[in-house]
Amino acid sequence: MKPTGPQEAATDMRTTQATAQTPQAVQPADHQKQPSALDRAGGTKGLVYSALPVAAFVVANSLRGLKVAIIASAAVALAIAVERLVRKESLQPALGGVFGVVIAAGISWYTGSAKDFFLIGIWASLAGAILFLLSVLVRWPLAAVLYSATTGKGTAWRSDKRSLLYYDIATLVMATIFGARFVVSKWLYDADEIGSLGVAKIMMGFPLLAVGLLVVAWAARASDKRLKALGLLPAKRA
C-alpha cells in the first residue's frame, strides 16, 4: 500500500472535514419547520388577544352597562397594542384589532344597543361565506388564490383538475365556517343574547379559522405534490 505524503494527508483531512460539514451547510428548505394551522391563525397568543376585548365588553356590559363596556373593550385592545409594541412584536394584528374594536364600539355607542357591538362581525361572516362560495363557482377558489399569492407559486394548479378539486374542498370548508358563524351569530343577535354572542364570537373565531387553515394546508401540500409529479412545479422548491 502506497504511503501517504504530508500534502495528500492534508488533502484527505480537508476532504473528510468538508464531507462531514456538508449536511449541515446545505440544509434543504423543505426540512425547515412549517408553521402549523394554529401558528397561521396567530398562535395561542393570537387566540387570547382576539378573545380579551370581546370578553371585557361582555363582562363590563353585564356589570356596569354599555358605556363602561365600550371603554373597557377599547382599553383592552389598546393595551394589547402597547404590549406588542413594548415586546417589539408585529403591530399589524394588534392595530387591526384596535381598529375593529373601535368601529364595533362606535356602532354600539351610536345605536345605544350592546348587541350591535357584534354587528360588523355578523355581516362580515356572511360576506366571507358568499365570497368563498362564489370563488368556487367561477373556478378560482380563494384558498388557492390566497395560497399562491403568499407563496409566489403561480397558478399551475388551474391546469390540473385534481389540484383544483383539492382547493375547491378547502374553499368550501372556509365558506362553511363563515356561513356557520353568520347563522349562529345572527340567531343569537335576533334573540338579544349578548353574553352568548360574545362566547360564539370567541369560540367560532380563531379556533374555527385554525381548522379551516389546516384544510387549506392539506390542499396545498396535496396539490404541490401532484404538480411536482406532473412536472408543473420544480421537484425541489423552497
Side-chain angles (χ1 to χ4, degrees), residues 43-63:
T44 304
K45 185 178 289 187
L47 293 174
V48 175
Y49 282 171
S50 67
L52 285 178
V54 177
F57 179 88
V58 172
V59 173
N61 181 70
S62 64
L63 295 176

Side-chain angles (χ1 to χ4, degrees), residues 99-203:
F99 181 76
V101 168
V102 168
I103 295 298
I107 293 175
S108 187
W109 185 291
Y110 178 77
T111 63
S113 174
K115 69 178 184 178
D116 287 342
F117 181 83
F118 304 95
L119 202 56
I120 290 182
I122 292 173
W123 293 110
S125 295
L126 177 60
I130 293 173
L131 192 60
F132 275 96
L133 181 58
L134 285 178
S135 72
V136 172
L137 296 178
V138 299
R139 313 312 295 143
W140 281 89
L142 266 181
V145 173
L146 295 176
Y147 175 75
S148 299
T150 55
T151 60
K153 290 190 175 182
T155 58
W157 50 268
R158 296 204 77 235
S159 59
D160 177 51
K161 290 184 178 180
R162 189 174 298 179
S163 292
L164 189 59
L165 175 61
Y166 295 149
Y167 283 119
D168 280 345
I169 293 172
T171 302
L172 288 173
V173 168
M174 293 297 295
T176 301
I177 289 173
F178 279 99
R181 284 181 184 175
F182 170 75
V183 171
V184 172
S185 298
K186 186 64 167 61
W187 179 70
L188 292 172
Y189 177 89
D190 292 338
D192 293 326
E193 294 287 345
I194 298 173
S196 297
L197 269 171
V199 173
K201 185 174 180 64
I202 293 171
M203 298 305 297

Side-chain angles (χ1 to χ4, degrees), residues 63-106:
L63 295 176
R64 301 297 299 272
L66 178 59
K67 290 184 179 180
V68 175
I70 290 173
I71 295 172
S73 61
V76 169
L78 184 60
I80 291 172
V82 172
E83 191 266 351
R84 293 187 70 98
L85 180 62
V86 170
R87 290 177 174 270
K88 297 181 179 180
E89 297 176 350
S90 174
L91 280 178
Q92 184 175 355
L95 291 178
V98 171
F99 181 76
V101 168
V102 168
I103 295 298

